[in-house]
Amino acid sequence: MSGDHSHNEGQVDCGSRINDSHKHKDKYKEHKHKKDKEREKSKHGNGDFSDKKHKDKMKHKDGSTDKHKEKRKEEKMKPLDGKVKKENGFASLPHVKSEPEDDAYHSPKNNKPLKRERDNDFDSDFKPKKIKTENDKKAKKRKQEEEDIKPQKTKSKKGEVADGKKKPKQEPEEKWKWWEEERYTDGVKWKFLEHKGPVFAPPYEPLPSKVKFYYDGKPMKLSPEAEEVATFFAKMLDHEYTTKDVFRKNFFKDWRKEMTSEEKSKITDLKKCDFTEMSEYFKAQSEARKAMTKEEKLKIKEENERILQQYGFCIMDNHKERIANFRIEPPGLFRGRGDHPKMGMLKRRIRPKDIIINCSKDSKYPEPPPGTKWKEIRHDNKVTWLVSWTENIQGSIKYIMLNPSSRIKGEKDWQKYETARQLKKCVDRIRAQYREDWKSKEMKIRQRAVALYFIDKLALRAGNEKEEGETADTVGCCSLRVEHIKLYPESEGQEFVVEFDFLGKDSIRYYNRVPVEKRVFKNLQLFMENKEPEDDLFDRLNTSILNKHLQELMDGLTAKVFRTYNASITLQQQLKEITNGEDNIPAKILSYNRANRAVAILCNHQRAPPKTFEKSMQNLQAKIDAKKEQLSETKRELKSAKADLKVRRDEKCKKLVEGKKKAVQRIEEQLMKLEVQATDREENKQIALGTSKLNYLDPRISVAWCKKWGVSIDKIYNKTQRDKFAWAIDMADEDYEF
DNA sequence: GACACAACTTAGCAGGCCAATG
DNA sequence: CATTGGCCTGCTAAGTTGTGTC
């Protein structure tokens, strides 16, 4: 079947929009009908593709997928029923409700053996076996939690707190090395979880009456609800998108929903709305904020710190862990990335009754604000989130989860890199396989093989199908359309060149011209035969088919593993290749950044050139020129000092020469540093290094590199990054091989 | 297999903060 | 001491993957 966009539409999802009114639902239905029609149409368009029948033949070729599934399920279930409770004695933990209000956290006091076992025979080759079942021996080893990891506050009773004997609250207690402990292997994510719930957005503060909104030139007092939404628009007035039709249309429609009936009947044209006074007011406010005194700023900082201390941490399995996003997203106007059909829609304010709390049964539950209720409190230890709510733009669920430095995120991250290392071991086999599949009789298999080749060679994303009209039109590998590639049998002296030009995730453009193997080229020609530009290139393929196949090739293998693998292996290779032992530290760091950059380019991690780029570049160049001037000046001085020394061979002259020599050296070093900086910055203009550093590069490669070349780790990772990669920093030595 | 839904990772950007600089 | 500029952090959108149901 052809894969034009209609392909995507089956997914249109009425039911998921929990918060939508009935009216809405009806609308969605209509939409769906329309799409069905489109699909019908497209079927006729390209239904004549030769091996349609193969498709069915191929279904469940071997049934192994199902087997796998079942196995996993079985193993997941087992421990939950019996073991979990038994092992950690969690269910019998005492309740802590009686604790005084202001105590931040309460660990289970009686210290049931909650600590996950320290793995003595720890095997540095982490085995990412998600299906491994915890055996009894290991389970027994789980031992008691050390006192010192608990938050200090919890430990001290009121009296102690009062007499000030308590240690400072953020005392860097010995860092917990979770990576030296046994992992959960049964789908359980935690056994004890206690937290304070989310922090809600501050309530709306109505504008002072002197700040007026004008309609059709006349001042008009808005109801608080309508006024709030109006302020959202006013705050964005300087942005280009308030001029976009879609944005304005969506905004106006949602704004009208908040209006009283009088307002609604009066305000019928957005063009007649004048928000400038409101806009000015907010600008003034932000100026005022900037102009605040130190004391005022400090006060705000302290208040934020207080909130952080109160809400920013949770207790998970007896360890205090930092929460990533404990603040609920404030209401505002939705601005998607790229050409988003929903830009400008109102993002609703989230209330307690929208919130689902997830925590231990035996924890002290978070309190909803006075006079309110949570939507639900549940106790699901198979998930990692603490709080969730459904967002009203796409109807998707949002979560509050832990910081990347937490055990639960760290383990997963570590596992991700281990899976990528697994791929390293069998990537040759897999490559041989897909090359073989380029010749397959079955179209489906050929498409799968060519797509996989792209994912491997070009680090493309999998490319799920998307609902048309719900999001910006972006694609990944499996959802590429004919219009996104051009074939050149010959171009610029190269044979079989494919030109890619499409919008990927976040509507970032992917543009690349690559020579491919002849077979790939021929296959692409075949896939494109008799298709319209808007038809799917891989009409027999989707991410689910692809990933099922990958799963069969290697346990845990999915499309995104290739990105991780190729990114990490590229970094390692590049570092080996371009690091020069003779170089000084800044030059070595430049080499690192260049290796990092090679990865960022591979993964197409782009950024908008910083607004101040040109200027700051000029400044840097000026500095370099000044430094050069200084250098030649000092060199001249050295020369004359030397000349002096020849004439009058006294101590003073000798010292002067030495001094000047050192100065020259120092300045040369400074100059080099500046030049390196300039090169680095220039090369980095449109490339974002952060994303790959944070998500794709096995941190142990970087740690090993630092150790090998005597570069301090904080030259490569800032504080946050060091926290996130603490496991890697602790365990990798200079010989680490990805 | 299609779909709905859930959970979790990956992504770029804005704006605040803070250190370097004049 | 004020200014500047670059880095960091927080934010939240936009992906991928997995699972359950029909």
Side-chain angles (χ1 to χ4, degrees):
Chain A
M1 160 170 347
S2 109
D4 58 352
H5 331 9
S6 63
H7 187 93
N8 302 341
E9 333 232 322
Q11 276 195 344
V12 171
D13 144 27
C14 311
S16 73
R17 284 168 198 77
I18 291 169
N19 297 301
D20 273 350
S21 63
H22 294 296
K23 243 189 280 176
H24 259 102
K25 275 188 187 159
D26 291 343
K27 206 191 61 199
Y28 282 114
K29 259 187 231 160
E30 256 172 47
H31 196 40
K32 198 166 178 176
H33 282 304
K34 207 176 86 197
K35 286 180 178 177
D36 284 341
K37 258 185 261 163
E38 275 169 21
R39 183 192 292 161
E40 221 32 53
K41 213 168 57 188
S42 73
K43 248 188 221 167
H44 292 299
N46 339 21
D48 56 347
F49 222 77
S50 55
D51 61 341
K52 212 173 174 180
K53 299 143 219 150
H54 287 298
K55 215 174 168 183
D56 297 323
K57 211 165 55 182
M58 283 309 293
K59 260 192 250 172
H60 285 95
K61 201 169 68 186
D62 62 11
S64 64
T65 316
D66 292 334
K67 238 191 292 173
H68 278 193
K69 234 196 235 159
E70 241 158 38
K71 197 166 140 203
R72 213 174 305 147
K73 215 190 317 182
E74 189 185 285
E75 264 152 357
K76 268 189 172 170
M77 297 306 291
K78 219 191 296 170
L80 233 210
D81 299 356
K83 268 184 193 164
V84 173
K85 279 183 194 161
K86 197 171 58 195
E87 271 164 33
N88 59 8
F90 190 66
S92 61
L93 279 175
H95 283 254
V96 283
K97 285 181 185 153
S98 56
E99 292 289 331
E101 255 309 304
D102 56 341
D103 268 12
Y105 289 100
H106 314 275
S107 315
K109 276 175 290 190
N110 293 345
N111 300 315
K112 291 289 154 123
L114 274 191
K115 183 177 172 183
R116 301 180 316 131
E117 150 193 86
R118 194 166 221 100
D119 194 355
N120 294 328
D121 37 51
F122 183 72
D123 176 4
S124 71
D125 270 336
F126 173 114
K127 308 235 168 53
K129 280 189 203 150
K130 35 184 168 185
I131 52 171
K132 195 175 86 188
T133 317
E134 199 173 350
N135 64 40
D136 282 339
K137 215 199 291 171
K138 280 182 177 167
K140 260 184 264 162
K141 283 205 234 156
R142 286 180 186 254
K143 33 174 205 242
Q144 185 141 339
E145 187 47 50
E146 315 98 25
E147 271 289 302
D148 62 7
I149 301 177
K150 289 194 233 162
Q152 299 295 329
K153 271 185 178 173
T154 317
K155 259 165 66 179
S156 22
K157 282 282 132 202
K158 273 185 223 154
E160 291 165 66
V161 175
D163 71 16
K165 268 188 179 175
K166 202 183 67 154
K167 284 189 216 158
K169 52 184 173 183
Q170 272 313 71
E171 191 68 7
E173 313 125 359
E174 207 181 304
K175 286 265 161 51
W176 174 37
K177 298 189 175 180
W178 51 258
W179 50 92
E180 293 181 349
E181 297 187 25
E182 181 71 353
R183 288 167 298 130
Y184 291 117
T185 47
D186 44 15
V188 168
K189 303 294 171 58
W190 46 263
K191 292 181 179 179
F192 182 81
L193 174 60
E194 179 168 292
H195 59 91
K196 292 286 191 179
V199 172
F200 288 93
Y204 177 64
E205 279 181 41
L207 293 170
S209 51
K210 63 174 198 298
V211 181
K212 296 215 162 48
F213 163 76
Y214 297 88
Y215 188 73
D216 211 4
K218 290 175 218 95
M220 179 175 173
K221 177 74 188 163
L222 296 172
S223 65
E225 292 75 18
E227 187 188 87
E228 180 178 13
V229 179
T231 64
F232 298 152
F233 194 83
K235 283 176 184 168
M236 299 174 128
L237 230 43
D238 288 341
H239 272 110
E240 194 220 342
Y241 41 76
T242 53
T243 64
K244 291 193 174 173
D245 263 7
V246 180
F247 190 96
R248 296 173 67 87
K249 206 184 102 256
N250 285 332
F251 161 72
F252 196 56
K253 191 172 151 213
D254 280 1
W255 185 27
R256 284 176 55 83
K257 287 183 203 155
E258 302 300 313
M259 293 178 187
T260 62
S261 46
E262 299 94 274
E263 286 166 340
K264 222 183 259 180
S265 60
K266 210 165 163 191
I267 303 174
T268 54
D269 185 358
L270 182 54
K271 272 184 291 203
K272 292 181 178 167
C273 295
D274 179 357
F275 303 95
T276 44
E277 249 181 50
M278 289 162 68
S279 173
E280 294 303 322
Y281 171 72
F282 291 121
K283 275 183 210 161
Q285 288 240 307
S286 109
E287 285 309 311
R289 224 172 302 127
K290 275 182 212 154
M292 278 187 311
T293 65
K294 263 191 205 129
E295 293 75 37
E296 289 170 312
K297 279 183 182 169
L298 186 69
K299 213 175 153 194
I300 291 173
K301 215 178 151 187
E302 276 169 356
E303 172 63 7
N304 279 333
E305 180 62 23
R306 196 186 63 75
I307 294 175
L308 172 69
Q309 288 308 320
Q310 191 179 356
Y311 293 95
F313 296 85
C314 72
I315 299 285
M316 183 175 277
D317 290 351
N318 265 334
H319 292 274
K320 187 176 173 185
E321 301 254 42
R322 179 87 187 262
I323 298 168
N325 56 325
F326 55 90
R327 286 172 198 276
I328 299 276
E329 296 170 18
L333 302 184
F334 176 81
R335 171 54 175 142
R337 318 256 165 91
D339 215 349
H340 198 117
K342 299 196 172 186
M343 65 169 81
M345 281 176 62
L346 173 63
K347 202 168 104 164
R348 246 190 44 238
R349 177 179 292 273
I350 305 300
R351 303 142 302 177
K353 64 174 177 176
D354 302 314
I355 295 289
I356 302 174
I357 297 288
N358 193 32
C359 62
S360 293
K361 232 174 218 159
D362 58 349
S363 70
K364 184 181 172 192
Y365 303 165
E367 287 291 332
T372 66
K373 278 189 171 148
W374 302 124
K375 180 178 180 182
E376 183 190 336
I377 296 186
R378 67 171 74 157
H379 313 290
D380 182 355
N381 74 348
K382 294 286 187 53
V383 296
T384 67
W385 54 268
L386 321 184
V387 172
S388 75
W389 71 92
T390 302
E391 152 268 354
N392 68 303
I393 303 288
Q394 321 272 358
S396 65
I397 307 170
K398 300 260 188 170
Y399 304 93
I400 290 182
M401 291 183 187
L402 296 194
N403 199 65
S405 63
S406 62
R407 181 217 105 218
I408 213 157
K409 294 290 182 189
E411 274 180 356
K412 199 81 188 299
D413 206 35
W414 180 16
Q415 179 182 310
K416 174 182 75 188
Y417 293 112
E418 289 308 318
T419 307
R421 292 174 85 200
Q422 287 296 120
L423 174 56
K424 185 191 178 188
K425 291 182 192 159
C426 60
V427 71
D428 290 339
R429 189 192 89 219
I430 289 169
R431 285 173 177 160
Q433 160 92 264
Y434 68 60
R435 298 170 66 87
E436 202 51 40
D437 288 345
W438 292 341
K439 301 180 245 172
S440 171
K441 281 189 205 115
E442 272 182 80
M443 184 58 70
K444 182 178 159 185
I445 291 180
R446 283 198 194 198
Q447 291 193 353
R448 196 180 67 193
V450 170
L452 186 51
Y453 170 73
F454 286 161
I455 284 171
D456 183 19
K457 183 184 172 76
L458 305 173
L460 300 190
R461 295 186 184 82
N464 282 305
E465 298 157 24
K466 301 167 79 191
E467 305 169 36
E468 201 185 4
E470 297 291 297
T471 61
D473 177 20
T474 63
V475 298
C477 186
C478 294
S479 48
L480 279 171
R481 301 193 294 264
V482 169
E483 59 195 330
H484 295 131
I485 66 169
K486 277 192 189 134
L487 303 181
Y488 299 94
E490 217 225 280
S491 164
E492 293 165 13
Q494 291 172 311
E495 281 192 307
F496 310 124
V497 172
V498 183
E499 182 187 74
F500 293 82
D501 192 351
F502 61 89
L503 297 183
K505 181 176 179 180
D506 292 321
S507 293
I508 297 291
R509 184 181 182 201
Y510 183 92
Y511 179 83
N512 201 359
R513 301 172 61 105
V514 273
V516 300
E517 308 207 21
K518 184 175 178 183
R519 274 226 160 74
V520 171
F521 196 85
K522 294 287 169 198
N523 270 319
L524 289 171
Q525 285 178 325
L526 178 66
F527 303 160
M528 289 164 79
E529 256 169 39
N530 302 318
K531 284 193 196 168
E532 299 298 316
E534 64 281 9
D535 291 341
D536 278 352
L537 177 63
F538 302 117
D539 52 300
R540 305 296 164 87
L541 187 67
N542 61 40
T543 54
S544 163
I545 295 171
L546 179 66
N547 280 334
K548 252 176 213 148
H549 175 240
L550 293 175
Q551 190 57 236
E552 283 162 18
L553 295 179
M554 186 196 106
D555 191 26
L557 188 60
T558 63
K560 85 188 185 94
V561 177
F562 281 88
R563 252 168 102 79
T564 313
Y565 161 73
N566 278 308
S568 288
I569 202 77
T570 301
L571 180 76
Q572 186 169 80
Q573 257 165 236
Q574 287 285 306
L575 285 177
K576 262 188 196 148
E577 210 172 298
I578 66 184
T579 311
N580 179 359
E582 319 276 275
D583 277 350
N584 60 17
I585 300 286
K588 279 185 183 138
I589 292 170
L590 174 63
S591 297
Y592 180 90
N593 286 340
R594 281 186 163 152
N596 192 164
R597 202 169 297 132
V599 175
I601 289 167
L602 174 72
C603 294
N604 201 41
H605 291 143
Q606 297 188 30
R607 62 166 184 176
K611 279 171 200 126
T612 55
F613 185 84
E614 286 309 322
K615 207 178 132 207
S616 80
M617 215 55 207
Q618 277 169 12
N619 289 349
L620 191 57
Q621 192 53 49
K623 261 192 195 168
I624 288 173
D625 292 343
K627 201 45 90 179
K628 277 181 179 162
E629 182 52 41
Q630 193 192 351
L631 180 63
S632 48
E633 173 64 24
T634 316
K635 272 183 173 167
R636 242 174 289 146
E637 285 166 14
L638 173 63
K639 237 182 194 169
S640 76
K642 270 181 177 166
D644 276 0
L645 181 61
K646 263 189 183 163
V647 180
R648 316 184 323 211
R649 317 204 125 268
D650 61 356
E651 264 314 293
K652 205 173 155 194
C653 284
K654 209 173 166 184
K655 266 194 182 152
L656 191 66
V657 169
E658 285 308 308
K660 288 294 169 194
K661 263 189 191 166
K662 277 202 182 128
V664 167
Q665 226 175 26
R666 200 183 57 234
I667 294 167
E668 269 175 344
E669 228 163 74
Q670 286 169 341
L671 177 61
M672 199 150 76
K673 210 169 156 180
L674 284 174
E675 279 175 334
V676 160
Q677 205 186 344
T679 316
D680 208 17
R681 199 186 292 172
E682 183 65 48
E683 290 177 359
N684 236 16
K685 187 176 177 180
Q686 307 197 57
I687 317 262
L689 300 186
T691 305
S692 49
K693 203 186 234 184
L694 232 49
N695 300 300
Y696 289 104
L697 301 176
D698 182 343
R700 291 166 296 184
I701 299 169
S702 302
V703 172
W705 181 86
C706 283
K707 288 186 176 162
K708 181 164 182 190
W709 300 109
V711 177
S712 156
I713 196 77
D714 47 4
K715 294 274 190 269
I716 300 299
Y717 290 136
N718 67 34
K719 179 76 176 83
T720 320
Q721 294 168 159
R722 289 197 299 277
D723 285 345
K724 168 168 177 172
F725 297 133
W727 57 274
I729 294 169
D730 185 59
M731 74 170 86
D733 59 22
E734 67 166 80
D735 303 320
Y736 176 78
E737 272 276 330
F738 173 74

